Amino acid sequence: MTGIYRIALYVATALIVVIIGGLLGWYYFVQESIDSTNTESAARGLGAAPSFGGSAGSGFQNAASSLASEGSVVAPGEVRAAPRLWRVVQNPVAGFSFASSSPRVLFVEISSGNILEADPLTSTVMRRTNTLLPKVFDATFSSEGSVALRFVEAGVLRTYTGSVLIATSTAQASSTPGRLSGTYLTGEVLQVAAGAKNALLMLVRESVGASLVQSAWQGSGQKKLATFPLQEWHLLVAENGTVVVAQKASDGVTGAAYAVSQNGALSPLVENEPGLVVMPKNGAVVLYSSGNTLFVKTSTGTSPLPIFTTAEKCVWAHGTTLIAYCAVPRVSLGASALQDRYQGVRHSSDSWYRVDIAAGTAEEFFVPEIGALIDVEKPTIDLGNRYLAFTNAADKSLWLLRIAP
Amino acid sequence: MLARHALLSLSLFALMCAPNALQAQAGDDFLDSYFGQGAIATDTEPTDTGVVALLWEADSYTPPGYEGRSLPSAGSKVSLWAIPHLGGGIAPEQLVYTWKLNGATLATQSGRGKSSVTINAPELFGAYTVSVEVASSDRAVRGSALVRIESVEPVARLYAEHPLFGLQFWNAIGSNAFVSEREMTFVALPFFASITTPDDALLRYTWRVDRRSIAPNPARPSSVTVSAEEGGAVATLDVVISHMTNFLMESRGAWQITLGAGAGAGVFDPFRTSTL
């Protein structure tokens, strides 16, 4: 018995020694691998403070860092008032709008669908949302900070409407990005515009033609305002809330534009004009272009204006005085200018004019530096009539121009 | 190719010989009142009490978000809408619309309240006139309008497909282009073709790179990916887009593209211009 016990003891001791030896060997093997991995990770920068990034995100910072030498660009992190002409971002932008009570601009990146905010008073750019909706081709903001994003997903045109928080103080502006909360709209939405009182206006494709629908921004409470046997319209909303539908333009092809009443009745603004593009001030006053000749139509008649541009390059100043700001191509692009521009074939290089409708005069007030090719599109003006925001149609970059020197 | 030319010749011959061909319209009132494609001409008969606006559009292909008008091409449809301003307080749906194509009445599409019509677009390089007369049933109020519509040949435009930004539809690739990347996917869009999507199963893309045919991507035949060796290279890219059933449709384009042209060339990419 003693012999058996002694043998068992030896075996158990040997097993324990073998197990402990194995564990020690495994520990040293694993530890060596961990050390090696840690060394490699440290060499790759893991654990160290990132060398890039910031409130606007690394993509924005990365692009801006390579452009800091140019006069119209402010280096990331630099806090000073923006130059008179400020390239806010070179990354392509899907849409933008001035915040309601300040010259700050909200804009949407095409690549991510994220909403960012730029302040020309401090030259800062903050990322407001981090909800990923890639490859957004169009973004529309409401006056109350809601947004409609349009993109193509698996070959299907989709529209997402959501609400974002507009920062009202510096403390909020420096907070971390939030989520975009919203919903996908049903139906094929061809056009979107921001109506009065945070209403959403949509042009929805029908089996024949299209319908003009008004709803809450999230798509609820839909009301059909009008139906059209045609589908190719632009939706515009004048400063006083007048809804305007205008046929899409093409060089030499006649077009028409109508004000739409709440009961769906159409009142003609302009009809039978080749290459028609309109920019309404209200239901009675409208800037329009036929080709590159600009006209103003008021209740007293129609007059040509002394500059050559298309009405989509103009924006009405807020208020009752009839003042417009227009970007004017420095060189005429010829008979196919509209189509070439829409297809991205050719772009203009524009100067800025202040147009006094009552006096019938146009005064050049800003000329970009020689070599700066800025083809102005979607010009917008802040409520104080101090800043113009626009994108460059040639690369979709976002720009801000202070009107006063 | 021979079949296409034969069809083109036949179409042109038919246009010349047709009773309602363009030549037959020469000297007609429409030429006197014609101001441009789509111009409206108000009939000058003294019984006119108002004017009619005649709006039209085609259903040909343009990409989502395209700001311009779709133009008619062979095989597409044209929709027209008459908006009368005749006075008399009569609702538009109570008026009688008489539509004519090259002077021939479209009987089935005319009648009370029929303010819109949809018809086939003119054949390749062709044109027609559409007129409408709008009148009350007692003809106390009436007006008319006329429009001339021309077909265009679809246009092939080439765009870069960026992994982050998607299709860069704002910047068509020019005939001589420089691209900073050494590899890039390009997409050809047949503007104004009688299709609904550029990857329509009825479209045939014949891609060639440096004059060598390459097999199209079966999942997305409108696109092609071109890459260059280290240091960059010049590639000649050409495409012929044809339709399997609409033999009159053909669109082609050719581009010389320098790939790997360095930062700042061509397509902007924040992740390549970085100094980090």
Side-chain angles (χ1 to χ4, degrees):
Chain A
M1 190 67 185
T2 307
I4 294 171
Y5 174 76
R6 188 171 294 160
I7 289 168
L9 193 63
Y10 287 152
V11 169
T13 305
L15 276 174
I16 290 170
V17 168
V18 168
I19 289 169
I20 290 174
L23 287 173
L24 283 174
W26 179 247
Y27 171 77
Y28 283 114
F29 172 75
V30 169
Q31 187 61 40
E32 191 175 338
S33 298
I34 290 172
D35 289 344
S36 171
T37 304
N38 286 343
T39 304
E40 284 184 24
S41 297
R44 291 174 176 173
L46 184 70
S51 59
F52 59 91
S55 58
S58 59
F60 175 83
Q61 304 281 111
N62 204 14
S65 66
S66 64
L67 301 165
S69 60
E70 298 184 28
S72 59
V73 175
V74 177
E78 191 175 349
V79 178
R80 63 177 168 90
R84 187 179 184 196
L85 178 63
W86 180 31
R87 177 162 57 188
V88 179
V89 55
Q90 188 176 358
N91 299 23
V93 167
F96 59 92
S97 174
F98 279 103
S100 56
S101 59
S102 74
R104 281 178 287 131
V105 175
L106 297 166
F107 63 93
V108 174
E109 286 183 326
I110 281 181
S111 56
S112 65
N114 287 179
I115 297 170
L116 292 93
E117 183 179 305
D119 188 346
L121 302 180
T122 58
S123 308
T124 53
V125 177
M126 300 284 177
R127 192 171 296 268
R128 305 307 306 154
T129 68
N130 57 9
T131 304
L132 182 65
L133 285 165
K135 299 178 184 176
V136 172
F137 71 81
D138 180 60
T140 304
F141 284 91
S142 78
S143 59
E144 297 181 19
S146 301
V147 67
L149 306 177
R150 302 175 67 225
F151 51 94
V152 177
E153 189 175 65
V156 178
L157 185 61
R158 304 201 71 186
T159 304
Y160 182 88
T161 59
S163 297
V164 292
L165 177 68
I166 301 176
T168 54
S169 71
T170 307
Q172 283 176 287
S174 62
S175 61
T176 55
R179 284 183 66 246
L180 181 66
S181 176
T183 184
Y184 288 93
L185 299 181
T186 56
E188 189 173 353
V189 179
L190 301 171
Q191 292 278 321
V192 167
K197 299 177 183 174
N198 212 32
L200 178 69
L201 295 163
M202 300 176 278
L203 189 69
V204 182
R205 188 191 297 275
E206 304 283 358
S207 56
V208 176
S211 296
L212 176 61
V213 177
Q214 179 176 296
S215 73
W217 200 266
Q218 305 281 2
S220 60
Q222 293 195 2
K223 176 188 174 189
K224 193 176 285 189
L225 296 181
T227 56
F228 315 111
L230 307 182
Q231 296 178 335
E232 298 218 305
W233 302 94
H234 283 299
L235 274 181
L236 302 107
V237 180
E239 185 183 356
N240 68 347
T242 301
V243 179
V244 172
V245 291
Q247 279 193 287
K248 289 186 173 181
S250 189
D251 304 286
V253 176
T254 54
Y258 300 89
V260 185
S261 68
Q262 278 296 312
N263 65 6
L266 301 183
S267 303
L269 292 176
V270 187
E271 290 178 320
N272 189 28
E273 284 289 346
L276 175 70
V277 180
V278 300
M279 186 57 61
K281 169 74 173 173
N282 50 47
V285 179
V286 60
L287 274 177
Y288 73 90
S289 56
S290 180
N292 68 347
T293 306
L294 193 64
F295 299 88
V296 62
K297 182 183 179 188
T298 65
S299 54
T300 58
T302 300
S303 310
L305 292 168
I307 52 174
F308 294 95
T309 188
T310 54
E312 61 199 339
K313 285 179 176 285
C314 295
V315 60
W316 286 101
H318 295 286
T320 53
T321 55
L322 295 182
I323 301 292
Y325 294 93
C326 294
V328 178
R330 283 184 263 188
V331 177
S332 171
L333 295 184
S336 60
L338 281 177
Q339 192 166 299
D340 285 351
R341 183 163 179 265
Y342 295 151
Q343 294 179 4
V345 175
R346 287 194 299 166
H347 292 287
S348 61
S349 179
D350 301 338
S351 300
W352 278 98
Y353 283 72
R354 180 180 186 273
V355 184
D356 186 331
I357 302 299
T361 59
E363 178 189 1
E364 189 177 59
F365 72 93
F366 186 80
V367 182
E369 292 175 12
I370 294 172
L373 190 153
I374 304 176
D375 184 359
V376 172
E377 69 171 1
K378 300 179 181 174
T380 308
I381 193 166
D382 76 316
L383 282 175
N385 292 332
R386 290 172 296 165
Y387 288 90
L388 295 161
F390 52 90
T391 48
N392 182 358
D395 59 8
K396 298 290 177 184
S397 57
L398 177 62
W399 297 72
L400 265 178
L401 173 64
R402 193 175 64 247
I403 293 173
Chain B
M1 185 62 74
L2 279 173
R4 174 180 156 78
H5 283 294
L7 279 166
L8 285 176
S9 304
L10 280 171
S11 300
L12 291 172
F13 181 75
L15 274 172
M16 292 165 65
C17 298
N20 292 319
L22 288 176
Q23 287 76 4
Q25 300 283 348
D28 289 351
D29 56 351
F30 105 89
L31 279 181
D32 297 328
S33 56
Y34 170 63
F35 303 104
Q37 187 178 4
I40 301 169
T42 304
D43 199 316
T44 54
E45 287 182 28
T47 53
D48 272 10
T49 61
V51 297
V52 177
L54 189 47
L55 284 57
W56 66 269
E57 68 183 25
D59 69 348
S60 60
Y61 172 76
T62 55
Y66 182 63
E67 298 281 325
R69 182 97 59 94
S70 296
L71 299 178
S73 66
S76 65
K77 302 273 189 189
V78 175
S79 297
L80 299 103
W81 183 23
I83 302 179
H85 311 294
L86 303 182
I90 304 174
E93 57 271 19
Q94 297 301 318
L95 296 168
V96 178
Y97 298 76
T98 305
W99 292 92
K100 293 181 179 178
L101 175 63
N102 279 342
T105 301
L106 300 171
T108 59
Q109 302 192 64
S110 298
R112 183 184 301 274
K114 294 188 174 179
S115 61
S116 64
V117 294
T118 298
I119 53 179
N120 291 328
E123 293 303 325
L124 187 64
F125 304 127
Y128 54 47
T129 59
V130 180
S131 62
V132 63
E133 185 204 64
V134 186
S136 57
S137 52
D138 61 359
R139 298 186 67 79
V141 295
R142 67 177 291 273
S144 61
L146 178 146
V147 66
R148 182 172 186 265
I149 297 172
E150 298 173 356
S151 264
V152 300
E153 190 168 29
V155 182
R157 301 284 186 213
L158 191 70
Y159 299 90
E161 172 89 45
H162 193 278
L164 285 175
F165 310 135
L167 196 64
Q168 296 184 289
F169 54 86
W170 56 85
N171 190 13
I173 301 292
S175 55
N176 282 286
F178 297 86
V179 175
S180 59
E181 290 79 3
R182 285 198 298 273
E183 181 176 291
M184 179 62 77
T185 297
F186 298 98
V187 177
L189 297 183
F191 279 84
F192 313 133
S194 59
I195 52 168
T196 55
T197 165
D199 294 312
D200 192 304
L202 291 174
L203 281 188
R204 180 167 48 212
Y205 289 81
T206 306
W207 288 99
R208 295 196 311 167
V209 178
D210 291 335
R211 299 184 179 181
R212 285 177 298 184
S213 293
I214 57 171
N217 176 357
R220 198 180 178 199
S222 63
S223 71
V224 65
T225 300
V226 182
S227 59
E229 299 292 329
E230 189 76 30
V234 179
T236 302
L237 184 64
D238 61 81
V239 65
V240 178
I241 310 171
S242 52
H243 198 281
M244 292 186 186
T245 58
N246 180 2
F247 297 111
L248 294 176
M249 194 217 117
E250 183 178 284
S251 186
R252 55 178 66 220
W255 303 269
Q256 186 164 292
I257 300 167
T258 303
L259 294 152
V267 180
F268 165 70
D269 186 344
F271 297 97
R272 285 191 64 85
T273 56
S274 169
T275 56
L276 299 173

